[in-house]
Amino acid sequence: MRLHVAEHPLIAHKLTVLRDQKTPSATFRLLADELVTLLAYEGTRDVVVEDIEIQTPVAPTTGKRIAGPRPIVIPILRAGLGMLEGMTRMLPTAEVGFLGMKRDEETLAVETYANRLPDDLSGRQCFILDPMLATGHTMVAAIDYLLERGARDVTCLCLLAAPEGLKTVEASVGDRANVQIVTAAIDERLNDKSYIVPGLGDAGDRLYGIVDH
Ligand code: URA
């Protein structure tokens, strides 16, 4: 597993505003969107391109375009949706799939309650969007889901990651695939409720307001 922490003054600034509990949802959504575009820039460094011949107003030249098969972007519902627009703005030719995952609080097993993905992902570059890599269990389940469908190249974009979650993903993935995590910061730890500390709270609630269950 490769890990990239996107260190940049603009990222640190925007992340600090996101963390602040006084930041309202509308600003939070805007900043999350902006941060994703910066993470996407790092996360797409290895996207496969091919040569294309074009004509400028001055001369013919060889340029680059994103090669097929099209990369696929997969937000994990619900909080990953807050990262989708920023990502597709940077990668407009990508296809978008969806994974809805939740954790059974008793068994701790991760259950997939929604999925909209091609059955065959072989040869596809996959980009998972999930703002918070906390315990890592959801990310491991999402990665496994993609690997079972033939994917071998997976980049996970997260606003924040906890050391515990990174260890869990690394131990699970091993050398089964080329997996990369791109995050804006690695925080201190998880608390006893599996929230990232200092973190930013519940990303879904901060993005969309609280939904009673
Ligand atoms: N999910 C969140 O939204 N926040 C955390 O801190 C951990 C998991």
Side-chain angles (χ1 to χ4, degrees), residues 15-96:
L15 193 53
T16 304
V17 184
L18 273 190
R19 290 183 191 277
D20 189 338
Q21 62 178 356
K22 294 197 296 297
T23 300
S25 267
T27 313
F28 191 96
R29 280 197 294 274
L30 192 71
L31 282 169
D33 178 85
E34 287 178 5
L35 258 180
V36 173
T37 61
L38 298 171
L39 295 182
Y41 183 75
E42 296 296 345
T44 52
R45 263 184 203 283
D46 295 331
V47 79
V48 181
V49 289
E50 61 189 6
D51 287 349
I52 176 175
E53 304 304 322
I54 58 153
Q55 174 80 39
T56 78
V58 180
T61 187
T62 306
K64 302 279 181 202
R65 73 172 166 207
I66 293 174
R70 290 196 289 158
I72 182 160
V73 175
I74 304 134
I76 299 184
L77 305 179
R78 136 182 97 136
L81 280 181
M83 301 173 75
L84 180 58
E85 193 150 331
M87 185 66 184
T88 51
R89 196 179 308 121
M90 295 299 277
L91 209 52
T93 55
E95 194 180 344
V96 178

Side-chain angles (χ1 to χ4, degrees), residues 46-147:
D46 295 331
V47 79
V48 181
V49 289
E50 61 189 6
D51 287 349
I52 176 175
E53 304 304 322
I54 58 153
Q55 174 80 39
T56 78
V58 180
T61 187
T62 306
K64 302 279 181 202
R65 73 172 166 207
I66 293 174
R70 290 196 289 158
I72 182 160
V73 175
I74 304 134
I76 299 184
L77 305 179
R78 136 182 97 136
L81 280 181
M83 301 173 75
L84 180 58
E85 193 150 331
M87 185 66 184
T88 51
R89 196 179 308 121
M90 295 299 277
L91 209 52
T93 55
E95 194 180 344
V96 178
F98 294 93
L99 266 183
M101 301 193 130
K102 65 174 186 213
R103 201 159 158 203
D104 184 310
E105 292 308 326
E106 275 167 28
T107 65
L108 300 186
V110 178
E111 179 202 336
T112 305
Y113 67 87
N115 125 52
R116 195 86 181 120
L117 280 173
D119 288 337
D120 182 10
L121 291 170
S122 37
R124 306 289 294 269
Q125 290 185 294
C126 300
F127 294 87
I128 299 177
L129 308 179
D130 194 1
M132 308 298 274
L133 178 56
T135 64
H137 297 307
T138 302
M139 193 60 90
V140 164
I143 293 170
D144 283 348
Y145 201 96
L146 303 183
L147 299 192

Side-chain angles (χ1 to χ4, degrees), residues 79 132 134 190 194-197 199-204:
M132 308 298 274
L190 297 179
S194 296
Y195 275 84
I196 297 178
V197 179
L200 50 74
D202 185 302

